[in-house]
Amino acid sequence: MRYIPNTPDDRSAMLRDIGVSSLEELLEPIPAELRLNRPLAIADGKSEWDVRREVMELAALNQSAMNRACFMGAGSYDHYVPAAVDALGMRSEYVTAYTPYQPEVAQGTLQVIYEFQSMVCELYAMPAANASLYDCGTALSEAISMARAHTKRTRVVWSEAVNPAYRRVAETNNVALGIKFDCARCPDGSQSHEALSMLLGDDVAALVVQYPNFFGVVDDVRKLVARAHSNGTLVIFVTDPMAMGVLTPPGKLGADIVVGEGQPLGNYMSFGGPYLGLFAASNELIRLMPGRIVGVTKDVDGRRGYVLTLQTREQHIRRDKATSNICTNQGLLAARATFYMSMMGPTGLREIGEASARRTMYMMDKLRSVAGFSLPHRGPHFREFLMTVPGSAEEFVIYMAARGILAGVPLTRMGLSDDRGILVALTEKRSVAEIDAYVEHAATWLQGGAK
């Protein structure tokens, strides 16, 4: 609970300075239906401690990954965060979400960003990476804008197996640029060569594939990449960084641009954000990359130093030459990701990836023996799979939450029409006992809870 020392006179003076007469006038632009329009439901005369206790009791009603067995995913995952990441991330040098406006005076900040970029390049086997974006959705949006700028084409092809939340962000941001999107069905959960190839042509700026895909399936996309390149189409990979310990990196599969969600790298789920977007590209596309790139150089005395090498935001270059409206990077979250990756190293990431995949296979095998439940997709899965429940997926999630289990993400919450489908995710944190408990409760749901 924060203490704000401003007096009523202080607040009145601040309101006068910005040209409004009251706090209510300041908040007028916010639609009335989104405002509380009443005082907080806290009785008058309570002590600070009483109010704190009441608020803490309300907060304890939240069901979080900290106090439940969390099987939720769909872009946000419950991986273990080493205590050392928290300790380093809370140092005063890093407690800022912003790169300084005179960045070269903050050499430590720039060095962390440089190391972050280098690790992302190594992770994805790509030659260049930027200093991070807001999240994977905005990273994909910028990648599509970049493909349009490079190819001068205005059509994008992707499938239902690309995270629908990312697709909505990318479509919303690029509609004003005249970009059209064609989406291929994938009823079996895989990004099939045939369905996507039929949509490709010499007017397509980018083919977007997710790897592993939204349903957790690991598709073989090499033929699709070759087919897209034969038409001069760029290939954008949406790639889970935690899978890179066990899968071939997209840079070795022909990717032109790679984006990913960096939350699993040492950052908590935090009820949906803030997160950070990973962004890497080929050398040919560097000058069109969004955001900023930190480079290394030497000063006049030959000492090693770090500089902001590239900034494509319209604030820094001529507006008509700008390729991005992304302001900055996610400094603190990128720093935490850097600490995490340096602690894990290639061996640690491989062990986490193997543990996640192993648990996923174990749970899928167990669920196949539970009558009424089905797993509609085949093929190799990494950390996630789609499960069809008997009855309502939303009601199943409520049933499991009452038993201490966050059972997964119903597809309807992601804008998909399957009201029986749940996306289930497993990280290295899920124990055999938690998985067995999940399956046992699922069996009891069939006996009495399913409609």
Side-chain angles (χ1 to χ4, degrees):
M1 180 179 288
R2 301 291 177 87
Y3 173 68
I4 301 174
N6 297 328
T7 67
D9 288 343
D10 291 334
R11 289 195 288 271
S12 296
M14 287 189 285
L15 291 170
R16 278 198 305 274
D17 281 352
I18 60 175
V20 296
S21 59
S22 66
L23 183 61
E24 287 68 29
E25 183 181 348
L26 177 66
L27 299 179
E28 274 181 2
I30 301 175
E33 62 271 22
L34 299 179
R35 298 171 61 179
L36 187 59
N37 294 316
R38 63 170 173 76
L40 293 174
I42 298 175
D44 292 338
K46 285 197 171 185
S47 67
E48 179 180 317
W49 166 237
D50 285 337
V51 173
R52 177 189 289 267
R53 182 165 51 191
E54 187 172 335
V55 171
M56 291 175 69
E57 288 172 354
L58 287 172
L61 297 176
N62 286 325
Q63 297 185 357
S64 79
M66 303 299 286
N67 56 20
R68 297 288 191 278
C70 180
F71 291 81
M72 302 181 76
S76 176
Y77 300 94
D78 181 32
H79 284 282
Y80 182 69
V81 178
V85 172
D86 289 334
L88 289 170
M90 293 177 67
R91 289 179 63 94
S92 60
E93 302 96 304
Y94 302 118
V95 184
T96 172
Y98 216 78
T99 309
Y101 271 105
Q102 293 181 315
E104 280 71 29
V105 303
Q107 284 291 299
T109 298
L110 292 192
Q111 182 178 355
V112 169
I113 295 174
Y114 179 81
E115 301 292 353
F116 168 80
Q117 296 169 175
S118 302
M119 292 179 189
V120 173
C121 286
E122 188 173 353
L123 198 64
Y124 287 147
M126 296 294 286
N130 73 7
S132 78
L133 300 173
Y134 300 141
D135 53 27
C136 189
T138 52
L140 176 58
S141 173
E142 292 289 330
I144 289 170
S145 176
M146 195 165 93
R148 170 188 170 275
H150 178 74
T151 64
K152 313 301 181 190
R153 302 173 181 177
T154 57
R155 195 161 69 88
V156 169
V157 171
W158 53 24
S159 82
E160 292 175 324
V162 175
N163 190 314
Y166 304 160
R167 284 191 277 131
R168 283 197 296 275
V169 172
E171 285 187 89
T172 300
N173 288 349
N174 284 289
V175 65
L177 297 176
I179 296 179
K180 297 180 179 178
F181 296 86
D182 286 325
C183 186
R185 294 287 314 280
C186 53
D188 63 352
S190 66
Q191 300 164 113
S192 76
H193 179 271
E194 292 74 18
L196 284 165
S197 287
M198 290 177 62
L199 297 174
L200 292 174
D202 56 12
D203 62 334
V204 176
L207 166 68
V208 181
V209 294
Q210 185 161 342
Y211 171 77
N213 73 32
F214 175 65
F215 302 110
V217 179
V218 182
D219 294 313
D220 184 352
V221 295
R222 283 171 292 191
K223 288 184 179 178
L224 274 173
V225 172
R227 169 82 170 86
H229 283 166
S230 69
N231 287 328
T233 298
L234 298 184
V235 180
I236 301 171
F237 274 67
V238 180
T239 301
D240 182 348
M242 301 303 289
M244 294 298 93
V246 293
L247 298 181
T248 302
K252 293 185 178 180
L253 297 175
D256 298 291
I257 306 171
V258 184
V259 300
E261 177 51 64
Q263 174 271 326
L265 300 171
N267 292 290
Y268 296 100
M269 299 175 80
S270 303
F271 296 100
Y275 293 162
L276 77 153
L278 311 180
F279 196 104
S282 64
N283 279 324
E284 185 183 10
L285 300 171
I286 283 181
R287 295 193 67 82
L288 294 173
M289 284 180 72
R292 54 188 57 182
I293 296 176
V294 173
V296 64
T297 186
K298 291 181 178 179
D299 67 11
V300 293
D301 298 320
R303 295 175 302 184
R304 185 182 178 92
Y306 301 90
V307 294
L308 274 187
T309 303
L310 183 71
Q311 298 178 88
T312 54
R313 181 190 179 192
E314 86 288 350
Q315 176 178 320
H316 302 289
I317 58 181
R318 278 207 335 255
R319 182 173 293 273
D320 59 327
K321 297 293 184 183
T323 58
S324 168
N325 191 37
I326 292 289
C327 304
T328 178
N329 68 312
Q330 292 283 54
L332 178 59
L333 301 180
R336 291 179 61 95
T338 308
F339 306 148
Y340 180 86
M341 287 189 282
S342 67
M343 292 175 198
M344 293 298 110
T347 301
L349 287 177
R350 186 181 70 248
E351 291 175 349
I352 293 170
E354 289 174 346
S356 301
R358 197 162 47 240
R359 284 159 172 73
T360 301
M361 293 298 107
Y362 175 79
M363 185 167 180
M364 292 176 72
D365 286 342
K366 298 276 287 187
L367 283 168
R368 286 192 179 99
S369 64
V370 180
F373 288 76
S374 63
L375 309 180
H377 299 158
R378 299 183 180 277
H381 288 67
F382 169 58
R383 180 184 49 187
E384 209 154 16
F385 63 90
L386 179 63
M387 175 178 71
T388 300
V389 305
S392 163
E394 284 288 352
E395 292 182 8
F396 176 75
V397 166
I398 295 171
Y399 176 85
M400 296 292 278
R403 288 150 182 79
I405 295 174
L406 304 179
V409 179
L411 291 186
T412 51
R413 296 186 188 179
M414 303 299 292
L416 302 180
S417 58
D418 182 357
D419 61 1
R420 294 177 59 198
I422 295 180
L423 207 55
V424 181
L426 293 98
T427 69
E428 79 282 5
K429 288 179 65 177
R430 298 287 69 83
S431 67
V432 170
E434 289 173 332
I435 297 171
D436 289 347
Y438 188 116
V439 176
E440 290 170 9
H441 288 309
T444 62
W445 158 258
L446 185 64
Q447 294 165 9
K451 304 297 182 185

